[in-house]
Amino acid sequence: MSVLLSDVVSGSAVGLRGRLWQLSASELRAAAVSASAEILRLEAVRVAVVDELSMRPDDQLIASRGVGAWLAANTMLQVRDGKKIAALGAALRPFPAVTARFDVGDCSFEHAVLIVAFCESPPKGMPEEALPRCIDLLLAAASGVEATTTKVRNVIATLERIFESDEIPPAEDIDRNELRIASTLNGRVVVRGDFDALTGEMLLSALSNLTMPTPAPDGTPDARSAAKRTADGFTELIRRYLDCAKTGTDGGQRPHVNVHINARDLAEHRDCAATPAAPDGGAAVSDLDVGHMPWLGPLSVSQTRLLGCDCFLSTVLLDDHGAPLDARPGKRLVTAEQRVALIARDRGCAFPGCTCVPAWTDAHHIRHWANGGPTVMNNLVLLCRSHHRLMHRKSGFVGKWVIRIGVDNKPWFIPPPSIDPQRHPRPANTTFKT
């Protein structure tokens, strides 16, 4: 690290913008990563200090009605943020494993809050002895540069559905469903809703194709915001429904919702203790016995069985690694059966770090069809439009990613030297897409 680069991370930001031009792109990236790590370190320091203060209140803290309010009064924080810092410090005390990961900067503030909230109020059906294993799973989802809040929330949702109790999970409680439609003074309509996960899955599935960005005939990118595209798609959905003039029939076909679940789980719910561990002994959630919806993630076994009473059931044969087998080579276009199998394996865009859902992905030939690549599972991978273009040499991108199917029959991604000089293979981003 050059002297200037070290100054960037440890010095003041005053006048910094006028000197950053001296750094190369790689140095700027290193500075951004180092600054982010320093923020995590200082965040952990502040939580520890504030927690220690809360256990030794003096006149200043008492007069401020708590350490959180005192911190806000003496910094530029809001009172609610000061109280969140104090609350996290107290909540971490009973959970040393979470504290240790947070203190070394391998778990962000927001993820630590989610994890301790789960630990403090675990599912009612979860035995006490299962908590350490659950903490391992949550920390695995919250650790590393690929950690996202979505992954942590998905693991929490999965665990809540594994340990089912007599109470209906909030995400599946249809009695909480609400939809408010009101007209405003200027003649517009405001819509606010709160739905269970299955209803949300149906809505997102119906809107998926109607809300995708649509370039203009001359190739100009779609200028609409995501909210505008959703509004336009919702309008089109209503128009199509009214045009068809179909209000549904008793005993008719169920809505098109895809739910994936192991056959043995659909037949008989296994105990958590029977869940196989990861090959290296670490935490893994890919084999937990819950259903999975492409849009909203985990669905409890009981709800999945309910859907299974009246549905079209498709069977996908899997090998020992959980990768679908394929016996229909030779066609350029991916068949409906192959796409179902790809979704079961990749669960959306497989590119490392991408969270794009299956509906917004293409089936990419690893070895191009024009070069003799067959349309079989071991030559196919789901990629979102952006990463699909990247594999076909996106404009302005110098390097080239390479995709290989590993011994586990799942895709692995080898970055170009410009990103990783050693070109270490990276697994597909499916571990926490539960």
Side-chain angles (χ1 to χ4, degrees), residues 171 196-203 257 259 293 296 299 303 307:
D196 63 283
L198 182 57
T199 302
E201 182 77 13
M202 289 189 290
L203 179 59
V257 173
V259 179
M293 297 182 294
L296 294 179
L299 188 68
Q303 182 74 353
L307 294 176

Side-chain angles (χ1 to χ4, degrees), residues 1 3-13 16 31 34-35 38:
M1 182 181 294
V3 175
L4 180 57
L5 181 57
S6 62
D7 291 342
V8 168
V9 178
S10 60
S12 171
L16 179 61
S34 298
E38 187 70 4

